[in-house]
Amino acid sequence: MSSTAGQVIKCRAAVAWEAGKPLVIEEVEVAPPQAHEVRLKILFTALCHTDVYFWEAKGQTPLFPRIFGHEAGGIVESVGEGVTELQPGDHVLPVFTGECGECRHCKSEESNMCDLLRINTDRGHMINDGKTRFSKNGQPIYHFVGTSTFSEYTVVHVGCVAKINPAAPLDKVCILSCGICTGLGATLNVAKPKIGSSVAIFGLGAVGLSAAEGARIAGAARIIGVDLNPSRFEEAKKFGVNEFVNPKDHDKPVQEVIAEMTDGGVDRSVECTGSIQAMISAFECVHDGWGVAVLVGVPNKDDAFKTHPMNFLNERTLKGTFYGNYKPRTDLPSVVEKYMNKELELEKFITHSVPFSEINKAFDYMLKGQSIRCIIRMEE
């Protein structure tokens, strides 16, 4: 066990005290892990749009003060009671959703939506005892999606921690904790395009580019990027996108444009925007008989999906996915190996890198649309 096992650790954390206000680097106290928990030393973390969304607190219940962050790589510092699958020194990726291994979802080959550890954005404490592991001067600081990686040390449920190859560079593979796997798995695990097929990707942000990367790995011949922002098109070429459509350039629905381009529709489509109109277009642009559309983006709570039932009767398939259908503990190590074997290219997703003391720069890059992924180096 580490020399700090069982002790409260004082460390730096980037605390969000109020919605939309710059994070403040504070010295916080991190309690030891309780039963079925592990305490991690975070070495690298990244900023995902989900962090920004909840930091802005637009449309959700605000919960502050809070430590955000959920894409990260680190090393196990100590383990709590009952933890046998991890030990101090293991290299790991914490994940915002978990795998308890016991529920019906975990035992099913068809699901990764764990009953116990499924993402919960409203919960700001640990499920073991309903308390936080972070505090400052006795004041509790809330957790975020069970990970809170904007801290030099964090406590995570063991079911939300994937043990990975210690040779893998944590400053690269840390981005697999969320967005990259979400898009990659949507294509490889759910859409499953065949070699030589056509794939339309709606939305060319980080998740959409990951979906395109999945299509490239699968051997798709035509990868059509659909986005309202033409400035994204050049960057998308690095991820295998070889044709582009801007819906604003056409006076007809984009699904009709794509159908004309592809002799009746694409073989597969992946929607990564959260726009209900993009979801409808993604479904209606796939070919009848065999076309499969996969929805990844999260819609507004009042949205409703509307399409004619004949689109289903004509043998189009509509699917949804959560975290690319990857089970975190079971599947994430093999995704890391794809990178190690040079099948998956991660470097091209990383556009910036900043020291922890300048974490607010990462938010600036994201808010200005300049960043796919910004790596935050905890050790400066």
Side-chain angles (χ1 to χ4, degrees):
M1 299 291 286
S2 70
S3 60
T4 48
Q7 301 175 23
V8 172
I9 289 178
K10 291 186 176 181
C11 71
R12 294 182 308 159
V15 179
W17 291 100
E18 297 179 60
K21 296 293 177 66
L23 306 188
V24 181
I25 304 293
E26 304 274 15
E27 182 180 79
V28 302
E29 296 184 338
V30 185
Q34 303 301 308
H36 308 296
E37 297 173 358
V38 295
R39 188 161 58 185
L40 309 179
K41 181 179 183 179
I42 300 298
L43 298 181
F44 298 94
T45 186
L47 179 65
C48 169
H49 188 264
T50 303
D51 296 306
V52 177
Y53 181 73
F54 283 89
W55 165 73
E56 291 177 320
K58 294 178 179 176
Q60 329 92 23
T61 305
L63 192 61
F64 295 94
R66 203 171 201 182
I67 297 174
F68 288 102
H70 64 284
E71 286 190 354
I75 297 173
V76 175
E77 175 270 336
S78 61
V79 303
E81 180 186 345
V83 175
T84 57
E85 51 273 74
L86 292 170
Q87 59 186 15
D90 284 343
H91 286 222
V92 295
L93 302 180
V95 185
F96 66 89
T97 186
E99 182 183 352
C100 73
E102 300 297 329
C103 70
R104 288 188 300 169
H105 285 277
C106 287
K107 290 181 177 179
S108 167
E109 294 182 0
E110 300 178 46
S111 175
N112 66 339
M113 301 186 73
C114 176
D115 281 332
L116 178 67
L117 300 171
R118 191 179 306 184
I119 185 173
N120 183 330
T121 56
D122 291 333
R123 186 171 58 226
H125 51 73
M126 301 301 290
I127 62 173
N128 183 51
D129 59 2
K131 297 179 180 178
T132 72
R133 301 290 175 262
F134 299 110
S135 62
K136 180 173 175 62
N137 299 327
Q139 179 184 2
I141 299 174
Y142 294 112
H143 296 247
F144 178 63
V145 295
T147 51
S148 292
T149 60
F150 293 166
S151 174
E152 291 176 315
Y153 287 86
T154 189
V155 177
V156 183
H157 191 285
V158 66
C160 297
V161 180
K163 180 181 176 180
I164 64 166
N165 184 344
L170 291 173
D171 61 331
K172 306 295 191 301
V173 298
C174 66
I175 64 173
L176 293 173
S177 290
C178 180
I180 308 309
C181 275
T182 296
L184 188 74
T187 304
L188 292 178
N189 298 337
V190 187
K192 298 179 181 178
K194 297 177 181 177
I195 293 174
S197 62
S198 57
V199 181
I201 308 292
F202 285 74
L204 297 175
V207 176
L209 294 176
S210 307
E213 179 77 354
R216 181 192 68 79
I217 292 170
R222 298 182 71 179
I223 305 176
I224 303 168
V226 183
D227 201 293
L228 296 170
N229 183 355
S231 67
R232 288 178 160 180
F233 291 167
E234 193 62 35
E235 184 76 21
K237 292 177 182 177
K238 300 177 186 176
F239 300 85
V241 178
N242 47 32
E243 297 177 62
F244 300 94
V245 177
N246 183 341
K248 292 191 291 189
D249 292 342
H250 302 274
D251 57 5
K252 62 178 71 172
V254 70
Q255 54 266 46
E256 294 181 19
V257 175
I258 293 173
E260 290 174 6
M261 290 170 59
T262 55
D263 191 23
V266 288
D267 302 308
R268 302 288 188 266
S269 71
V270 185
E271 183 283 323
C272 305
T273 71
S275 157
I276 198 69
Q277 188 54 56
M279 294 179 183
I280 294 167
S281 298
F283 177 53
E284 294 183 353
C285 81
V286 298
H287 207 290
D288 58 6
W290 61 80
V292 178
V294 179
L295 304 186
V296 180
V298 179
N300 291 324
K301 60 182 176 67
D302 297 326
D303 282 338
F305 186 96
K306 183 179 179 181
T307 191
H308 198 281
M310 282 306 299
N311 287 318
F312 292 98
L313 298 177
N314 286 334
E315 300 181 3
R316 294 178 177 89
T317 300
L318 179 65
K319 293 185 174 185
T321 181
F322 169 69
Y323 191 50
N325 278 41
Y326 286 118
K327 292 179 184 282
R329 293 198 291 175
T330 299
D331 298 330
L332 208 46
S334 63
V335 183
V336 170
E337 292 309 310
K338 279 186 185 294
Y339 169 74
M340 298 298 282
N341 297 333
K342 296 184 167 43
E343 298 171 55
L344 170 63
E345 300 169 10
L346 294 179
E347 285 82 358
K348 59 193 178 186
F349 289 97
I350 299 169
T351 50
H352 300 82
S353 175
V354 298
F356 187 41
S357 59
E358 298 177 13
I359 189 171
N360 288 301
K361 277 189 178 179
F363 280 74
D364 290 339
Y365 292 139
M366 178 76 75
L367 291 168
K368 292 175 181 175
Q370 298 172 345
S371 171
I372 301 175
R373 277 298 178 268
C374 179
I375 301 297
I376 298 153
R377 309 184 301 275
M378 305 303 284
E379 294 182 338
E380 301 178 33

